[in-house]
Amino acid sequence: MQTHDLEKNFQQKIDAEVKIEPKDWMPDAYRKNLIRQISQHAHSEVVGMLPEGNWITRAPSLRRKLILMAKVQDEAGHGLYLYSAAETLGAGRDDLVMDLLNGKAKYSSIFNYPTLTWADIGAIGWLVDGAAIMNQVMLTRTSYGPYARAMVRICKEESFHQRQGYEIMLTLAKGSPEQKAMAQDALDRWWWPSLMMFGPHDSESTHSEQSMKWKIKRKSNDELRQAFVDATVPQAELIGLKVPDPDLKWNEKRGHYDFGEINWNEFWNVVKGRGPCNKQRLDARRNAWENGAWVREAAMAYAEKKAARRMKQAGEEAA
Ligand code: FAQ
């Protein structure tokens, strides 16, 4: 078949909601775009363990510590599903990790902010996982099968993460004046970076148009950001916290909240590596990669030994 016909068939499948599977023909640009998005998503999950990991040893009770440890481990699992999904497209795991470590691949801007108090753990669960779910529910219907299936499980876990974060905020908001102030301060610091997670405005987005055509993305950056604001503002009101945006106002006519403009200079600075914790995050990942070399070598040696034993057994049985 000619490339033109292959492309036509491919788009027809997408339009008919048939999932694309690893061995199906796909345009190179579709494969490349998916590897970019899935691997950056995987890196985000893994780097995302760092800000919360910072509070495991200082969680205020055993119960909180257990929950936080489970959550951070979940994020590692999400990273693994996503790296595996990227591998089904022919990407090598080591190459993907190298792209992260040498700064070629991005990861979510949100994880370059510090976690200063315990309330930040609440704010991350509530807002960051909340934003992640808003974006990822649409990805359960993404056109690439392995990515869509990974997202189903990830969304279930993220939903528990969001609730535990909101429950931390609720507890603090109902607590002493100092605890309530701590919750408000965390909301003040995490609100705008959470809105930035959805990416640039649709008019500035490089990939959206093609990604929507291929149904990799099912909703635009601005649509998702609006849905997040609409869902989250009433949650803040319910626990007596104030969203730090003087322009925030319910618009009866639109049926949505109007909200202020994001500081895009700050967003692009963070994306380009100049955020408060970019260096710290990449240094931590580099150390983990270097210190884990012996584990990878041992695992590979074990796998090779096991394979050799199997080959020997098969040979003996055949003889
Ligand atoms: N940060 O053309 P678009 C989580 C880049 S997981 C950094 O609009 P696209 C779980 C973008 O890559 C959070 N860079 O891009 C958790 C592109 O640059 P490139 C991560 C950003 O792909 C919770 C350029 O700007 N979620 O939180 C950001 O169509 C708690 C132009 O942008 C995912 O990755 C940003 N925020 O739309 C873990 C979901 N936004 O690649 C631990 C999957 C944009 O050409 C604790 N990804 N850029 O060099 C997506 O849905 C999309 O990739 C978007 C961006 C929506 C993030």
Side-chain angles (χ1 to χ4, degrees):
M1 233 194 271
Q2 301 278 322
T3 310
H4 172 261
D5 295 327
L6 287 166
E7 277 176 2
K8 207 169 135 203
N9 275 359
F10 176 80
Q11 190 61 46
Q12 274 169 355
K13 260 169 98 174
I14 303 252
D15 294 342
E17 300 289 336
V18 176
K19 291 274 178 259
I20 306 301
E21 296 298 338
K23 288 187 177 159
D24 294 346
W25 186 90
M26 61 185 84
D28 280 348
Y30 176 85
R31 186 186 299 276
K32 220 171 127 206
N33 191 15
L34 267 178
I35 293 175
R36 176 195 66 85
Q37 177 169 324
I38 300 174
S39 64
Q40 296 191 159
H41 192 169
H43 301 327
S44 304
E45 299 281 356
V46 172
V47 176
M49 296 162 74
L50 297 167
E52 288 176 294
N54 182 33
W55 278 88
I56 290 177
T57 55
R58 292 175 287 163
S61 69
L62 180 62
R63 174 176 168 266
R64 293 290 186 201
K65 182 171 175 148
L66 288 172
I67 296 171
L68 183 57
M69 278 199 300
K71 179 185 190 300
V72 172
Q73 282 174 9
D74 285 350
E75 310 300 358
H78 300 173
L80 292 180
Y81 305 151
L82 289 164
Y83 283 127
S84 301
E87 282 174 315
T88 65
L89 289 155
R93 175 104 45 128
D94 288 7
D95 296 335
L96 298 177
V97 174
M98 281 307 133
D99 284 349
L100 169 71
L101 299 186
N102 64 29
K104 202 170 135 205
K106 297 187 167 73
Y107 59 89
S108 184
S109 48
I110 192 76
F111 301 118
N112 292 303
Y113 291 85
T115 39
L116 303 179
T117 71
W118 171 252
D120 289 16
I121 301 307
I124 291 182
W126 174 32
L127 302 174
V128 176
D129 284 277
I133 297 170
M134 196 54 84
N135 167 278
Q136 291 171 6
V137 165
M138 75 157 178
L139 293 175
T140 62
R141 294 188 299 116
T142 195
S143 55
Y144 186 57
Y147 192 21
R149 291 188 286 273
M151 290 321 301
V152 172
R153 177 146 180 201
I154 292 178
C155 279
K156 282 187 186 151
E157 293 177 350
E158 301 289 27
S159 144
F160 149 71
H161 297 167
Q162 196 267 354
R163 280 173 203 198
Q164 68 82 39
Y166 190 56
E167 198 247 348
I168 292 176
M169 294 302 263
L170 169 69
T171 308
L172 291 172
K174 281 194 317 195
S176 65
E178 288 81 4
Q179 285 170 320
K180 187 166 181 186
M182 195 162 92
Q184 182 63 54
D185 170 60
L187 171 57
D188 292 348
R189 285 181 290 105
W190 289 92
W191 176 255
W192 291 104
S194 299
L195 297 195
M196 293 174 196
M197 282 176 73
F198 295 95
H201 279 312
D202 297 347
S203 54
E204 306 289 318
S205 164
T206 334
H207 303 285
S208 280
E209 196 184 338
Q210 185 59 69
S211 290
M212 301 273 279
K213 196 166 162 234
W214 279 330
K215 297 190 179 172
I216 292 174
K217 281 165 93 164
R218 313 287 308 226
K219 287 185 180 169
S220 78
N221 299 357
D222 285 327
E223 252 180 287
L224 290 167
R225 187 166 18 242
Q226 180 72 62
F228 173 75
V229 172
D230 291 348
T232 312
V233 171
Q235 294 170 358
E237 282 169 358
L238 194 68
I239 57 175
L241 297 181
K242 195 171 176 320
V243 171
D245 178 357
D247 297 323
L248 185 74
K249 210 170 136 223
W250 177 254
N251 183 327
E252 197 63 55
K253 216 159 124 203
R254 288 199 315 121
H256 292 291
Y257 281 95
D258 290 335
F259 55 98
E261 192 54 63
I262 286 169
N263 179 344
W264 293 109
N265 276 341
E266 176 181 326
F267 171 73
W268 288 115
N269 260 329
V270 175
V271 170
K272 287 178 184 156
R274 299 189 289 269
C277 298
N278 293 63
K279 183 175 175 324
Q280 194 180 327
R281 301 294 182 238
L282 277 185
D283 284 351
R285 288 314 310 153
R286 260 186 223 110
N287 281 342
W289 182 253
E290 282 159 17
N291 295 336
W294 71 271
V295 180
R296 293 193 299 279
E297 278 162 25
M300 289 306 289
Y302 177 72
E304 277 163 21
K305 208 168 158 193
K306 217 167 144 191
R309 205 179 314 131
R310 262 206 220 109
M311 292 272 282
K312 197 170 160 227
Q313 266 172 3
E316 281 166 5
E317 275 165 25

